[in-house]
Amino acid sequence: MAAADVEFRCFVGGLAWATDNEALEKAFSVYGEIVESKDLINDRETGRSRDFRFVTFVFEQAMRDAIDGMNGSNLNGCNITVNETQSRGGGGGGGFRSGGRGGYVVANLAVAAAVDTEAGPS
């Protein structure tokens, strides 16, 4: 992966339904400049975002500080989990990435397995 392709992204799970991107960015921006925060999967029945999102920082240290500062903290009445994500490695498949997680896997595989189970078949 070229240096320009490096992203400093963290998984934020256990969010309250009422936590929108603006509230998430406000809570995490104290640790550094955010490139983006986005909903990943919407609930099929309600159309609301699921209880997790990704937050991408400009700098690695900001991401690490946010993980240290926010993991296990209370945000809008819920204790949240914050983990580093890792880009999927290249190779095979013709270079096209698709999937429900935007091409990223959660460093905490137990959380990823739970998310996949909840998402159900497409």
Side-chain angles (χ1 to χ4, degrees):
M1 178 178 280
D5 294 336
V6 174
E7 289 186 324
F8 305 111
R9 184 173 297 212
C10 55
F11 167 88
V12 183
L15 293 168
W17 289 110
T19 303
D20 59 13
N21 285 342
E22 185 177 330
L24 191 66
E25 286 187 18
K26 182 177 180 182
F28 278 78
S29 66
V30 299
Y31 297 99
E33 186 178 350
I34 295 174
V35 175
E36 72 176 339
S37 66
K38 63 180 181 178
D39 298 342
L40 203 50
I41 296 177
N42 288 335
D43 184 272
R44 286 181 224 160
E45 294 178 17
T46 65
R48 293 186 299 187
S49 64
R50 301 290 298 251
D51 66 345
F52 64 93
R53 295 202 177 80
F54 287 105
V55 177
T56 305
F57 288 90
V58 172
F59 299 107
E60 181 178 13
Q61 190 58 51
M63 177 197 67
R64 297 207 180 283
D65 291 346
I67 292 169
D68 290 343
M70 295 296 290
N71 188 38
S73 69
N74 187 299
L75 182 63
N76 293 336
C78 292
N79 289 332
I80 61 172
T81 300
V82 184
N83 294 307
E84 181 179 357
T85 61
Q86 299 174 351
S87 296
R88 291 184 181 175
F96 179 76
R97 294 188 310 191
S98 65
R101 278 196 222 78
Y104 286 84
V105 293
V106 179
N108 182 339
L109 296 178
V111 173
V115 169
D116 285 343
T117 301
E118 292 174 5
S122 297

